[in-house]
Amino acid sequence: MLGPSVRRPLGTLSLLLSATLLAACGSLNPSSPQAPLPPSLNAPAASPGATARTGQVAVKVLAINDFHGNLMPPAGGIKLPDPQDPDKTITLEAGGAERLATIVAQLKAKNPHHVFVAAGDLVGASPLLSALFHDEPTIESLGLMGLDLSAVGNHEFDQGLDELLRKQRGGCHPKDGCKGPTEFRGSKYQYLAASTIDTRTGQPVLPAYAIKRFDGVPVGFIGLTLKGTSELVSPTGIRGLRFEDEADTVNRLIPELERQGARAVVVLIHEGGTPTGGINDCPGISGPIVDIVRKLDKRVGLVVSGHTHRAYNCRIDGRLVTSGDKYGTLITEIDLTLDRASGTMLEARANNVVVRPETDKDPRQTLLINSYQHLAQPLIDRPVGFLAKALGKDGADLDEGGGTTMGQLVADAMLAATRAPASGGAQMAFTNIGGVRTGLIHRPDDRVTYGDLFAALPFSNAVVVVEMTGAQLQRVLEEQWRARGGQSGEYWLPLQLSQGFSYRWDKRQPIGSRVVPGSMALDGQSIAPDQTLRVAVNSFLQAGGDGFRTLKETRLVQTGPVDVDALEAYFKARGTARVQPTPLDRAVRVDR
């Protein structure tokens, strides 16, 4: 999903680790420097099994995307059609690495010719159980369940290229050292990054593709990061990198794959679309993936996509295009038929399988997760306050004006943390919707934990106060709506506003002119174009993240706490009082 990336190490969290945790870590040296990986990777042949050789080879591809370190079933589960009333939905507690691993094993058992792949964002924006250990538990978990290949998503760059390479190769974290119960040996699966280029060498920073052979028939797998990664990641995380056009990259590699005998091609891409219909339907789909697929060489028969956190099973331009929702709630089971003589792909069909709560747990995953849980659980369970009602973040919880109850709470907490001193403190605050990863569940006892807050704000961004004019503020608001840049349609990244600030907007107007003139107000007073304002934002936005370029022109006047700490302070300041959702009336759409 569109969102920011972590801009700094989890420094404040590291300070919270107990001496017991540190003592359990051991003392491992960082991995020694390694030579750059080649731009291609030839994987070992798949086992032919006991099937008879025929004119065709059946291959099973299992796929996930946007796992984001959700080792445990994510809060909120997955929404599915109600079997009793298809017009309604039910929420199912789906996901969790223990159950996902069981289903992976069951599906692999159906066909000895199989491969397990992913479309990126396996790590980053993760719950505390994984993030506290720099996502090492997730990488170990996915390796344990047999993941083979993955595209690199934008969140794999959350801590920069060096950290991504450490995750691939292993070794202790360069600042925090070894925090886990065992030595971190890196990922057993291979990351692919065909379109992510080191500007110094002109080469991909990781292998561009892999070739796997199934009963002797080679299949090429190309992995891609979305072209728009530079707008989603802090500049410090991607310095020295460029992200090339997805379709052009694939089409350039096709002849190279063909020279190596691979005439069937699968694309793993961290980019996606917005579908209509259910998890296995596709009466319609829009978004960047549509235009990308239409430009691909016809030898690409399967596209495994992600990024938008949606589930779909589509045919676009005659190819199968899939996505498996998010957080491990689904796994996509794909069956390919290859022609043995020509090596081409004859057929591709898919089914999104729900990781249901009644699935047996894989005991190896349970053992792995428990080894990290006993170190992290005291921090995860630490009480911070009380909540009167669940707070939503997106989907049905997104107001037509652009506000969400969770987003407004975060903005209010940012304002409270930076309002003093009166002479230089913030007068208002806003945050990007992608920086708020989830809402807050409501428990029967109203209790809220630090783990809940961290799941919503996992990036550990500083809250900063910048100075801007009213004219600049209006330009920032206009940057919420963007054309797709050579692709059809537009997209919307609604800012979440603090109490006291409001404006109105009109979608009937062209992009760049949607804020109703004179509608911006602070505490009921109209904001003039030449008025100077002090605004609290997160450090990602202040650096121009999510494409809010005008914020790079503002003047930094104050640095406050990390956003999750500001939210914790907001709850603690209320003692036993229950935090209530606020009315969604700060950004108002007037064309409805």
Side-chain angles (χ1 to χ4, degrees):
M1 183 174 184
L2 291 175
S5 299
V6 179
R7 261 58 67 184
R8 59 175 59 191
L10 298 176
T12 56
L13 295 176
S14 299
L15 295 175
L16 295 171
L17 291 171
S18 66
T20 302
L21 188 157
L22 294 172
C25 293
S27 57
L28 299 175
N29 293 321
S31 59
S32 58
Q34 300 186 30
L37 288 167
S40 64
L41 175 74
N42 286 303
S47 170
T51 57
R53 293 178 67 88
T54 66
Q56 298 178 352
V57 177
V59 176
K60 190 171 291 294
V61 180
L62 307 178
I64 60 172
N65 55 273
D66 298 275
F67 189 70
H68 287 291
N70 278 264
L71 296 169
M72 305 301 292
I78 186 172
K79 289 182 170 60
L80 298 170
D82 187 340
Q84 306 302 319
D85 185 351
D87 293 331
K88 298 180 180 179
T89 60
I90 59 172
T91 300
L92 188 71
E93 187 193 76
E98 294 160 295
R99 298 183 179 108
L100 177 61
T102 296
I103 294 179
V104 167
Q106 291 171 347
L107 296 177
K108 284 182 176 181
K110 292 183 177 182
N111 187 342
H113 309 305
H114 56 249
V115 61
F116 183 17
V117 301
D121 275 11
L122 300 178
V123 298
S126 305
L128 194 56
L129 176 61
S130 184
L132 189 61
F133 305 97
H134 298 284
D135 281 315
E136 293 170 12
T138 293
I139 292 169
E140 292 176 3
S141 170
L142 293 170
L144 191 60
M145 67 178 78
L147 184 65
D148 295 295
L149 304 167
S150 179
V152 175
N154 55 287
H155 282 286
E156 265 81 20
F157 291 105
D158 278 355
Q159 300 284 349
L161 177 60
D162 288 345
E163 175 62 5
L164 170 58
L165 296 178
R166 185 188 74 88
K167 287 179 167 68
Q168 178 74 81
R169 299 166 179 167
C172 298
H173 189 272
K175 291 185 178 179
D176 293 339
C178 296
K179 294 289 190 287
T182 59
E183 178 184 357
F184 177 62
R185 299 182 179 276
S187 59
K188 293 181 180 179
Y189 56 91
Q190 178 63 53
Y191 274 116
L192 304 175
S195 58
T196 304
I197 305 301
D198 185 331
T199 56
R200 295 169 300 175
T201 66
Q203 296 297 313
V205 297
L206 284 160
Y209 62 83
I211 296 176
K212 291 189 72 70
R213 290 171 172 81
F214 303 95
D215 205 13
V217 180
V219 177
F221 294 82
I222 300 173
L224 301 148
T225 309
L226 76 159
K227 184 180 178 180
T229 296
S230 58
E231 289 196 348
L232 305 176
V233 179
S234 176
T236 58
I238 54 171
R239 188 175 291 119
L241 304 180
R242 75 172 182 269
F243 299 88
E244 298 189 335
D245 183 85
E246 303 95 338
D248 289 349
T249 299
V250 170
N251 294 341
R252 282 199 306 267
L253 289 171
I254 294 293
E256 184 174 337
L257 288 169
E258 196 162 37
R259 284 194 297 271
Q260 298 185 57
R263 296 180 176 85
V265 178
V266 176
V267 168
L268 314 176
I269 180 171
H270 192 69
E271 181 59 287
T274 303
T276 57
I279 65 172
N280 275 303
D281 302 323
C282 194
I285 184 170
S286 60
I289 196 65
V290 177
D291 293 311
I292 292 170
V293 171
R294 287 174 177 163
K295 295 175 185 176
L296 294 176
D297 187 286
K298 296 301 181 184
R299 282 162 285 194
V300 176
L302 167 64
V303 177
V304 176
S305 65
H307 187 55
T308 56
H309 290 196
R310 301 296 294 273
Y312 46 84
N313 185 350
C314 299
R315 296 281 170 180
I316 302 175
D317 195 36
R319 301 59 126 55
L320 178 63
V321 182
T322 69
S323 180
D325 201 65
K326 62 187 181 300
Y327 305 157
T329 55
L330 297 179
I331 182 167
T332 308
E333 179 185 13
I334 305 165
D335 289 299
L336 307 180
T337 302
L338 308 177
D339 181 73
R340 188 184 301 278
S342 67
T344 58
M345 192 181 301
L346 300 176
E347 185 183 9
R349 59 188 186 277
N351 179 46
N352 276 322
V353 179
V354 179
V355 181
R356 303 185 69 86
E358 63 268 24
T359 306
D360 291 338
K361 295 181 179 181
D362 183 309
R364 297 182 305 165
Q365 293 286 334
T366 301
L367 185 64
L368 173 68
I369 291 171
N370 286 348
S371 70
Y372 283 98
Q373 261 185 334
H374 90 273
L375 298 175
Q377 207 64 43
L379 182 57
I380 293 172
D381 291 340
R382 190 177 74 196
V384 297
F386 300 91
L387 183 67
K389 186 179 179 181
L391 301 181
K393 183 259 172 183
D394 55 16
D397 299 307
L398 179 64
D399 178 72
E400 63 180 22
T404 67
T405 52
M406 186 65 200
Q408 290 187 171
L409 172 66
V410 172
D412 287 345
M414 292 167 61
L415 178 60
T418 54
R419 181 172 270 161
S423 59
Q427 299 165 283
M428 54 183 283
F430 54 76
T431 191
N432 54 318
I433 194 168
V436 184
R437 302 304 296 184
T438 187
L440 290 178
I441 61 171
H442 178 250
R443 294 184 174 90
D445 61 0
D446 299 339
R447 183 174 57 92
V448 179
T449 69
Y450 186 80
D452 297 332
L453 303 189
F454 190 88
L457 296 174
F459 298 116
S460 295
N461 287 315
V463 180
V464 299
V465 179
V466 297
E467 196 171 78
M468 67 175 73
T469 65
Q472 286 178 311
L473 175 59
Q474 181 162 339
R475 284 165 50 198
V476 170
L477 296 179
E478 295 288 3
E479 288 170 347
Q480 296 173 103
W481 300 276
R482 327 275 176 76
R484 288 200 177 274
Q487 299 172 340
S488 58
E490 64 178 65
Y491 61 98
W492 179 35
L493 298 176
L495 292 168
Q496 305 299 291
L497 313 179
S498 65
Q499 187 176 19
F501 174 55
S502 63
Y503 72 96
R504 301 192 304 277
W505 63 277
D506 187 344
K507 193 176 181 181
R508 293 169 298 189
Q509 302 303 314
I511 291 175
S513 302
R514 288 186 173 168
V515 176
V516 175
S519 69
M520 296 189 307
L522 180 60
D523 297 328
Q525 300 297 312
S526 181
I527 296 174
D530 60 352
Q531 182 176 343
T532 299
L533 301 161
R534 296 183 303 278
V535 183
V537 298
N538 64 49
S539 54
F540 170 70
L541 280 179
Q542 190 257 340
D546 268 3
F548 287 93
R549 295 181 176 88
T550 298
L551 284 169
K552 295 174 68 176
E553 304 170 8
T554 60
R555 187 172 74 89
L556 178 65
V557 296
Q558 179 184 332
T559 299
V562 172
D563 51 9
V564 68
D565 294 343
L567 186 56
E568 180 181 18
Y570 187 86
F571 271 91
K572 286 186 172 180
R574 277 142 189 81
T576 58
R578 272 57 177 164
V579 170
Q580 300 277 351
T582 51
L584 299 176
D585 56 3
R586 301 174 185 180
V588 178
R589 183 174 173 179
V590 300
D591 58 294
R592 291 297 182 100

